[in-house]
């Protein structure tokens, strides 16, 4: 295995990510973006398998967790700032690997950043994979679905500075375990430590609500694979209609399971992503 | 209830079913021998001893009754299948987009509608040729056969579908079973029946056998994903609604047969049929209804859920209210 | 001439605003005398602005909108500590880089609907304020070889040298404007900078008095309006009728093109004791970075 953790200063802030050192030629880059309250390790069960198969993989730590230094300026958590981080990481890796197509893969709020990155990659984007991950606009529009409103009841708490920061700060382990248990995670996953800075991603997305609600999102023209858990404690299962205006071709997969499908249904998710990446997608 | 063979999100089994359907689909033009024509001296369906509702009918009358019943069945099939196509937007496309549906299920749905269209074309074409044989316009013949287009039944089904109702798909589930039953009923009498008619039924059966899981998958989707108030109400009430609608439609369709009297003198077929009407008219109406509900081949099995234990079991397993119907008496069919 | 005297009257009245008791404290020293420290300050701002244009230009992909591109430039600059702007970033693609069809002030705003297509020319223009020093750059490029653009660039770079000669020479500013205009037309191009407000070939840049005050206003901020208006506006903008000194600091932005594309650069020119020199020796349009054409 040749995965290594790398670090760089991106626009003044230290940023870390995992990447392959010896990818096979011609394979697209798989860019894994984690969610909350996780770090890049939450994608390890997947990116290790793909790395072994010769795919160049990148799994960054989102701003504010692990080796990715938290920022004092909150604008660094905005989707625009995070997408610049991710573009710089891609550029850095492509210096060694050469220009390649990219498949962006996001989980949870990582999905929101995955959508943003997918929209910026132009013809380089080969596909977008979302695991338990709606875009911000899609989630906001679910306000008409009472079950989703109930499942998202934690979000307003996250938006208020000071409350959730205590729960997910230095003593985060208990809160993280609670969230993971609720989300059906039974497999072992290392605790990420202080993830209070990750709450800033929610807050930054909320501050951007005007753009989200009133501007048409850019259409993603590459194929999209959306994987949802039938019993996801935090998210209702998406529908094809939700993707109208977001993506041209969407393959929707509903699996038996909860919120951490990439770990709990590791083999099934792996098989779906692999088939998708290899181009045998049923995108409609 | 055992574990279902096909689950809504089981991509492998659904993909396999779709593949099977595609590989074994028959071609309407190339694989049905339309050139063989219709034999007007052969019955279309086998009858029981009472010739359905005409005990004591003569041999000629039994032939005419059998041929008329065959046309009624053909019309019922193509009317129901055309109704499916007409309501495709409400019964499939509207919720396919609004509910989480995997690509294999979506594929299966498209195939289902493709094949239903093919079936309705086959049965309608047969009816058209029969009309030519009888020397009447197709529209004149259709006027005495079952019809669903623009009826109150269809309108009610549309309303039900718009509120994410399940009535329509319970009817489809029941009717699919009935189609299989019809074929099983005809098979032992294959040599006696009009070959073209039997061939169409046989082809129909081949594909309908593979359609059986589809309505249940749709019902599962509706049961899981409809908004809660609709889910509860429809989940309880719609099987009963399906039973009522199906019964009413079947009875009203049979009533249209009275219109045959207007075709007296057009062809000996109609004259012979009309000559049998007094047998039916001599029976008290309640007795006729009772027979229709319990013991008339091809009719009772359509309206009486007791004739389709599988459908009944599925309905009960999903907590639906099933209206009690009298015990179904499957009467034996006899050779012509 | 009535127009000229009207301009002078307006200019004089506007410049009185800057001399009002409290407001005069807010005005910065004249840009006519540029110290070495100030020059370094402006240079830092220019370099950051060009770094931004190159960084975002490098990531630019077909499908990006002008608005998105401009927003990302602003994000880049903010991430580098920029708190305010002289003007927010602009991005123009294709025929919009030569302002085809522009009639109103708001036509210049980066478009939400115009998306970059393969082979199109791009102009990125931004003006951050770094530690009180306003910078203002313009960078034109294509992401693939573009023969027409290459020809235009040769003219642009020649003009860069010619501008030095003109500012160092005796010609007044309005004559410089006319000569640049003539040069552009002789080569078969359209003069695009004449479409800027007041037909600006350039404008003064000053230190911003309250650099921590977030730049309110789009695309030009209050800092820009104050900076130009408090000094009478017209002497601050090098348009076709400009009259005034050449000495001091200018942001010069020759811009020309045709129906399909436009090209420009924007750099700081310092005229000191009758001698002109560009502040930055190695802007990216002098030697295009890899991947830029």
């Amino acid at each position: 295995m040749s995965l290594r953790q790398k670090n760089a200063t991106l626009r003044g802030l230290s940023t870390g990510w995992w990447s392959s050192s010896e990818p096979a030629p011609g394979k697209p880059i798989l860019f894994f973006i984690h969610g909350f309250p996780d770090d890049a390790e939450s994608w390890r069960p997947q990116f290790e398998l793909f790395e072994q198969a010769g795919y160049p993989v990148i799994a960054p730590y989102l701003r504010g967790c692990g080796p990715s230094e938290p920022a004092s300026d909150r604008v660094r958590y905005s989707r625009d700032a995070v997408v610049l981080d991710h573009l710089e990481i891609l550029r850095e890796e492509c210096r060694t690997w050469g220009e390649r197509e990219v498949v962006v893969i996001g989980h949870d709020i990582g999905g929101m950043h995955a959508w943003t990155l997918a929209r910026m990659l132009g013809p380089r984007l080969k596909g977008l994979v979302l695991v338990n991950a709606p875009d911000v606009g899609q989630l906001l529009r679910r306000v008409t679905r009472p079950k989703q409103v109930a499942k998202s009841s934690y979000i307003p708490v996250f938006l208020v500075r000071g409350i959730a920061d205590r729960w997910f700060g230095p003593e985060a382990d208990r809160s993280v375990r609670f969230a993971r248990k609720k989300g059906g995670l039974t497999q072992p996953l290392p605790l990420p430590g202080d993830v209070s800075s990750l709450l800033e991603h929610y807050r930054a997305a909320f501050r951007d609500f005007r753009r989200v609600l009133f501007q048409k999102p850019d259409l993603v023209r590459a194929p999209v694979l959306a994987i949802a858990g039938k019993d996801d404690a935090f998210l209702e299962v998406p529908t094809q209609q939700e993707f109208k205006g977001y993506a041209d071709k969407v393959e929707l997969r509903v699996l038996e399971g909860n919120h951490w499908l990439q770990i709990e249904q590791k083999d099934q998710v792996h098989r779906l992503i692999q088939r998708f990446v290899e181009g045998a997608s049923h995108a409609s | 209830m055992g574990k279902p063979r096909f689950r809504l999100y089981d991509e492998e089994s659904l993909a396999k079913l779709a593949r099977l359907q595609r590989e074994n689909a028959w071609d309407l033009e190339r694989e049905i021998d339309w050139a063989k024509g219709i034999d007007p001296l052969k019955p279309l369906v086998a009858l029981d001893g009472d010739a359905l509702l005409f005990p004591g009918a003569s041999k000629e009358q039994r032939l005419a009754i059998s041929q008329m019943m065959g046309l009624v069945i053909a019309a019922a099939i193509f009317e129901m299948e055309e109704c499916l196509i007409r309501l495709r937007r409400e019964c499939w496309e509207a919720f396919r987009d609004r509910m989480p549906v995997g690509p294999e299920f979506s594929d299966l749905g498209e195939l289902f509608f493709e094949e239903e269209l093919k079936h309705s074309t086959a049965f309608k074409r047969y009816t058209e040729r029969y009309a030519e044989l009888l020397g009447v316009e197709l529209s004149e013949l259709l006027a005495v056969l079952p019809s669903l287009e623009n009826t109150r039944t269809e309108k009610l089904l549309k309303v039900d579908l718009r509120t994410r109702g399940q009535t329509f798909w319970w009817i489809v589930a029941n009717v699919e079973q009935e189609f299989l039953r019809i074929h099983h009923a005809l098979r032992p009498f294959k040599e006696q029946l009009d070959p073209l008619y039997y061939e169409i039924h046989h082809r129909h059966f081949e594909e309908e056998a593979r359609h059986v899981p589809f309505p249940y998958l749709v019902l599962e989707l509706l049961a899981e994903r409809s908004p809660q108030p609709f889910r509860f109400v429809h989940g309880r009430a719609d099987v009963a609604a399906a039973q009522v609608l199906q019964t009413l439609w079947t009875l009203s369709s049979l009533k249209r047969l009275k219109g045959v009297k207007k075709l007296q003198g057009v062809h000996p077929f109609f004259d012979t049929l009309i000559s049998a009407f007094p047998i039916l008219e001599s029976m008290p109406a309640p007795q006729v209804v009772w027979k229709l509900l319990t013991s008339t081949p091809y009719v009772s099995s359509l309206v009486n859920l007791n004739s389709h234990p599988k459908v009944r079991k599925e309905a009960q397993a999903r907590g639906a209210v099933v209206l009690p119907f009298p015990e179904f008496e499957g009467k034996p069919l006899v050779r012509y | 001439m009535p127009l000229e005297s009207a301009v002078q009257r307006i200019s004089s009245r506007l410049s009185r605003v800057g001399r009002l008791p409290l407001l005069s404290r807010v005005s910065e020293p004249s840009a006519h005398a540029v110290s070495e420290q100030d020059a370094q300050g402006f240079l830092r701002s220019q370099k950051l602005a060009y770094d931004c244009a190159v960084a975002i230009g490098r990531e630019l992909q077909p499908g990006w909108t002008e608005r998105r591109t401009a927003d990302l430039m602003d994000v880049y600059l903010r991430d580098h500590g920029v708190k305010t702007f002289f003007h927010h970033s602009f991005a123009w693609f294709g025929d919009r880089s030569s302002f085809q069809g522009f009639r109103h002030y708001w036509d210049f705003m980066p478009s939400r609907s115009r998306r970059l297509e393969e082979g199109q020319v791009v102009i990125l223009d931004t003006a951050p304020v770094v530690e009180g020093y306003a910078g203002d750059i313009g960078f034109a490029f294509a992401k693939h070889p573009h023969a027409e653009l290459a020809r235009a660039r040769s003219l642009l770079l020649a003009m860069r040298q010619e501008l030095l000669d003109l500012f160092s020479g005796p010609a007044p500013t309005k004559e410089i404007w006319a000569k640049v205009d003539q040069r552009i037309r002789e080569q078969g191009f359209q003069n695009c900078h004449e479409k800027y407000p007041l037909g600006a070939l350039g404008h003064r840049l000053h230190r911003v008095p309250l650099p921590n005050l977030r730049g309110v206003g789009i695309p030009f901020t209050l800092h820009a309006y104050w900076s130009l208006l408090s000094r009478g506006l017209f002497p601050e903008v090098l348009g076709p009728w400009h009259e005034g000194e050449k000495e001091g600091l200018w942001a010069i932005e020759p811009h020309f093109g045709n129906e399909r594309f436009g090209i420009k650069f924007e750099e700081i020119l310092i005229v000191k004791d009758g001698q002109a020199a560009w502040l930055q020796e190695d802007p990216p349009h002098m030697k295009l970075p890899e991947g830029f054409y």
Side-chain angles (χ1 to χ4, degrees):
Chain A
M1 203 186 335
S2 57
L3 279 167
R4 66 242 157 118
Q5 193 175 342
K6 293 177 84 170
N7 223 288
T9 302
L10 305 181
R11 305 188 313 290
L13 290 178
S14 175
T15 311
W17 68 91
W18 285 97
S19 77
S20 326
S21 53
E22 297 156 14
K27 287 196 187 249
I29 297 170
L30 306 186
F31 197 99
F32 294 90
I33 309 176
H34 69 84
F36 179 91
D38 295 328
D39 59 18
E41 291 296 322
S42 66
W43 274 115
R44 183 173 289 275
Q46 295 297 330
F47 68 60
E48 269 182 355
L49 288 174
F50 282 105
E51 196 272 337
Q52 282 160 18
Y55 284 92
V57 305
I58 301 175
Y61 289 82
L62 281 177
R63 178 64 51 218
C65 83
S68 288
E69 192 184 337
S72 52
D73 190 350
R74 289 172 212 153
V75 294
R76 291 302 293 263
Y77 296 95
S78 68
R79 288 179 295 155
D80 283 350
V82 171
V83 84
L84 283 184
D85 289 342
H86 292 162
L87 286 170
E88 282 193 59
I89 291 171
L90 267 171
R91 181 156 299 284
E92 175 66 29
E93 293 297 342
C94 288
R95 270 196 254 275
T96 338
W97 297 342
E99 286 295 314
R100 297 186 189 224
E101 287 182 308
V102 183
V103 176
V104 185
I105 306 167
H107 173 248
D108 190 74
I109 50 159
M112 165 179 89
H113 293 304
W115 274 107
T116 311
L117 180 59
R119 290 179 182 120
M120 305 313 294
L121 286 172
R124 289 179 69 191
L125 180 71
K126 184 181 168 94
L128 171 64
V129 179
L130 306 155
V131 180
N132 305 98
D135 193 14
V136 184
Q138 290 176 319
L139 191 60
L140 282 174
R141 284 176 181 88
R142 286 187 191 173
V143 73
T144 56
R145 291 163 72 173
K147 273 192 149 177
Q148 182 61 69
V149 172
K151 287 181 178 181
S152 301
S153 54
Y154 62 93
I155 293 179
V157 177
F158 280 13
L159 296 180
V160 176
R161 198 157 276 109
I163 304 177
D165 306 70
R166 275 200 298 269
W167 300 338
F168 291 99
E171 310 290 323
D173 289 0
R174 208 169 111 182
S175 305
V176 170
R177 280 198 190 97
F178 173 78
R180 286 176 173 177
K181 190 175 170 192
K182 188 159 164 68
L185 185 62
T186 60
Q187 302 290 323
L189 179 63
L191 291 164
D194 183 344
V195 286
S196 57
S197 296
L198 282 182
L199 293 167
E200 292 297 339
H201 292 270
Y202 285 92
R203 294 166 188 155
F206 178 74
R207 282 195 293 275
D208 206 19
F209 80 92
R210 267 188 300 263
R211 180 165 72 163
V212 167
L213 279 182
F214 301 118
Q215 283 177 30
K216 248 172 68 170
D218 287 343
L219 192 70
V220 169
R221 295 198 188 276
V224 173
L225 168 64
I227 304 174
K230 209 167 144 217
D231 306 306
D232 193 323
F234 305 114
L235 292 167
E236 284 287 276
V237 175
T239 64
Q240 283 286 349
Q241 198 176 40
E242 270 189 2
F243 288 92
K244 280 197 170 71
Y246 284 82
D248 261 347
K249 308 178 271 284
V250 180
E251 177 185 340
L252 180 55
R253 296 281 173 198
V254 179
L255 307 185
E256 302 283 342
N258 203 325
H259 192 65
W260 270 270
L261 289 174
Q262 76 273 34
I263 299 167
E264 292 292 315
Q265 269 73 33
K266 169 183 153 188
D267 293 335
Q268 209 175 353
V269 169
H270 179 76
R271 191 173 43 81
L272 285 171
I273 296 178
Q274 182 166 38
R275 195 173 64 185
F276 177 76
V277 168
E278 286 167 5
S281 80
H282 286 264
S284 52
Chain B
M1 198 168 67
K3 193 179 160 188
R5 261 177 70 213
F6 301 101
R7 296 184 65 86
L8 201 50
Y9 301 116
D10 182 350
E11 40 165 305
E12 226 175 279
S13 63
L14 294 181
K16 199 172 161 189
L17 181 60
R19 203 169 42 244
L20 207 65
Q21 276 183 231
R22 284 209 161 84
E23 281 166 10
N24 295 290
W26 45 267
D27 185 279
L28 178 68
E29 306 303 337
R30 287 198 298 266
E31 294 180 62
I32 292 186
D33 188 4
W34 295 100
K36 75 166 118 222
I38 298 171
D39 186 343
L41 298 177
K42 286 204 157 152
L44 298 187
V45 299
L47 301 176
D48 63 343
D50 284 347
L52 308 180
L53 294 166
F54 302 88
S58 67
K59 195 167 178 197
E60 294 75 24
Q61 285 171 332
R62 285 178 70 88
L63 176 64
I65 291 164
S66 156
Q67 289 170 338
M68 194 62 196
M69 192 65 215
L71 290 173
V72 164
I73 291 170
I77 292 173
F78 71 66
E79 279 291 318
M80 286 188 194
E81 290 176 341
E82 281 180 358
C83 177
L84 248 177
I85 311 290
R86 278 193 299 276
L87 298 186
R88 181 192 163 121
R89 166 105 199 87
E90 289 85 354
C91 76
W92 170 238
E93 289 169 5
F95 65 77
R96 180 197 54 194
D97 290 345
R98 284 198 206 107
M99 295 188 182
V101 160
E104 288 77 22
F105 184 66
S106 196
D107 205 17
L108 213 52
E110 294 305 310
L111 204 48
F112 177 83
F113 282 93
E114 249 176 62
E115 290 182 347
E116 294 298 348
L117 179 61
K118 186 172 61 176
H119 302 163
S120 78
T121 307
F123 279 103
K124 198 159 194 181
R125 191 184 291 180
Y126 184 87
T127 308
E128 205 169 359
R129 291 187 183 196
Y130 218 98
E132 277 170 28
L133 199 65
L134 297 177
V136 293
E137 293 293 326
L138 178 63
S139 53
E140 288 176 287
L141 188 55
L142 291 179
V144 302
L145 295 175
S147 169
L148 198 44
E149 189 173 3
N150 270 332
T151 58
R152 212 171 298 173
T153 305
E154 188 177 72
K155 288 174 185 161
L156 283 170
L157 286 173
K158 221 174 179 173
V159 167
D160 182 70
L161 282 167
R162 286 199 178 129
T163 61
R164 322 267 179 112
Q166 301 171 20
T167 308
F168 180 87
W169 286 101
W170 278 116
I171 292 177
V172 172
N174 194 42
V175 155
E176 299 281 350
Q177 290 291 331
E178 184 55 23
F179 293 159
L180 304 185
R181 192 193 182 89
I182 291 172
H183 179 263
H184 286 315
L186 298 183
R187 198 165 47 190
F189 306 96
K190 183 175 151 186
E191 298 77 33
Q192 290 205 311
L193 307 176
D194 173 50
L196 182 58
Y197 186 80
Y198 180 79
E199 188 180 351
I200 295 171
H201 264 287
H202 181 68
R203 291 290 185 190
H204 185 227
F205 160 77
E206 281 177 352
E207 290 187 346
E208 290 295 354
R210 290 187 287 269
H211 284 184
V212 165
F214 187 72
Y216 294 111
L217 290 169
V218 174
L219 286 165
E220 189 186 328
L221 184 69
L222 287 168
E224 257 189 35
R225 297 290 156 193
S226 293
Q228 193 44 271
F230 297 118
R231 200 190 308 177
F232 179 79
V233 169
H234 288 299
R236 294 284 177 281
D238 282 8
V239 174
Q243 287 177 281
V244 167
L245 276 181
Q246 208 166 302
T247 306
L248 290 175
W249 182 72
T250 307
L251 295 179
S252 67
S253 294
L254 292 172
K255 232 175 125 189
R256 285 163 70 91
L257 284 169
K258 271 194 190 169
V260 170
K261 288 184 182 173
K262 291 184 191 154
L263 297 170
Q264 181 146 36
V266 171
H267 191 279
F269 165 76
F270 295 114
D271 296 339
T272 312
L273 200 58
I274 292 165
S275 72
F277 279 3
I279 304 172
L280 174 63
E281 284 158 2
S282 65
M283 267 195 280
Q287 188 185 356
V288 171
V289 172
W290 183 259
K291 278 173 86 78
L292 283 171
L293 292 180
T294 59
S295 60
T296 307
Y298 313 112
V299 177
S300 308
S301 52
L302 181 61
V303 306
N304 192 333
L305 211 54
N306 292 328
S307 65
H308 297 299
K310 182 179 175 189
V311 180
R312 192 189 170 85
K313 229 163 115 185
E314 286 282 346
Q316 283 167 340
R318 290 163 201 257
V321 167
V322 178
L323 294 176
F325 264 57
E327 209 47 52
F328 172 70
E329 301 166 26
K331 281 235 174 123
L333 302 172
V334 300
R335 296 184 75 76
Y336 174 63
Chain C
M1 290 166 80
L3 181 61
E4 271 189 31
S5 61
V7 161
Q8 276 166 11
R9 262 203 315 278
I10 294 167
S11 183
S12 158
R13 278 179 193 160
L14 282 172
S15 59
R16 274 187 224 156
V17 173
R19 292 197 293 272
L20 287 170
L22 274 176
L23 292 177
S24 63
R25 288 178 178 218
V26 179
S27 282
E28 322 86 55
S30 166
H32 296 189
V34 183
S35 69
E36 183 54 35
Q37 188 187 352
D38 286 342
Q40 289 307 309
F42 283 111
L43 183 60
R44 275 196 301 277
S45 189
Q46 289 291 99
K47 282 191 164 175
L48 177 63
Y50 268 120
D51 286 348
C52 169
V54 170
I56 299 303
R58 193 163 270 135
E59 300 302 343
L60 190 54
Q61 292 285 337
W64 285 31
T65 62
E66 289 180 355
R67 176 79 267 161
R68 202 84 180 82
T69 309
D71 285 348
L72 284 175
M73 288 173 71
D74 284 356
V75 168
Y76 179 97
L77 291 166
R78 279 207 192 93
D79 289 351
H80 280 86
V82 168
K83 290 188 170 46
T84 189
F85 294 79
F86 185 78
H87 68 68
H88 289 273
S89 305
F90 291 97
W92 298 298
F93 300 156
D95 63 345
R96 281 176 55 86
S97 65
S98 60
F99 302 157
Q100 295 301 311
F102 283 23
R103 282 192 194 80
H104 309 288
Y105 184 66
W106 52 84
D107 290 335
F108 290 90
M109 301 285 282
S111 162
R112 280 189 209 288
S113 55
R114 173 60 70 97
R115 292 181 187 278
L116 182 68
E117 291 169 29
E118 288 277 0
Q120 278 188 332
V121 172
V122 177
I123 290 181
L124 303 180
D125 189 323
T126 188
V129 173
V130 178
E131 293 165 0
Y133 293 96
D136 200 345
I137 63 103
F139 179 44
F141 61 92
K143 297 292 288 268
H144 297 278
H146 194 300
E148 265 197 290
L149 180 66
R151 188 172 79 81
R153 191 181 296 286
S154 305
L155 172 62
L156 189 72
L157 295 182
M159 208 177 284
R160 187 176 186 266
Q161 181 57 47
E162 287 158 18
L163 279 161
L164 280 183
D165 298 337
L166 285 168
F167 273 88
S168 302
T173 46
K174 84 166 120 175
E175 202 177 305
I176 294 175
W177 196 99
K179 285 195 163 151
V180 170
D181 179 65
Q182 188 187 8
R183 183 86 162 91
I184 288 169
R185 291 183 200 283
E186 274 168 1
Q187 294 298 314
F189 289 105
Q190 300 164 10
N191 182 342
C192 296
H193 59 251
E194 75 173 352
K195 294 182 189 176
Y196 288 130
L198 301 180
L201 169 60
H203 56 86
R204 295 286 189 185
L205 275 179
H206 302 278
R207 283 186 64 186
V208 164
L210 300 169
N212 290 329
L213 181 68
R214 291 231 174 234
V216 178
I218 46 164
F220 285 86
T221 65
L222 282 180
H223 296 298
Y225 290 121
W226 171 255
S227 165
L228 297 174
L229 290 172
S230 66
R231 291 176 177 77
L233 180 61
F234 296 98
E236 297 291 298
V237 178
L238 207 168
W241 54 73
H242 183 266
E243 279 180 7
E245 290 183 41
K246 282 190 291 189
E247 283 287 301
L249 189 147
W250 293 95
I252 299 293
E253 48 185 326
H255 186 172
F256 58 88
N258 57 28
E259 305 78 31
R260 292 174 296 285
F261 73 92
I263 187 170
K264 73 177 281 187
F265 69 75
E266 186 167 3
E267 287 192 62
I268 287 179
L269 181 77
I270 296 179
V271 183
K272 190 172 175 180
D273 300 328
Q275 285 302 307
W278 295 107
L279 178 64
Q280 192 172 352
E281 283 171 12
D282 58 350
H285 45 270
M286 292 298 292
K287 184 172 184 274
L288 289 172
E290 202 186 314
F292 290 82
Y293 296 89

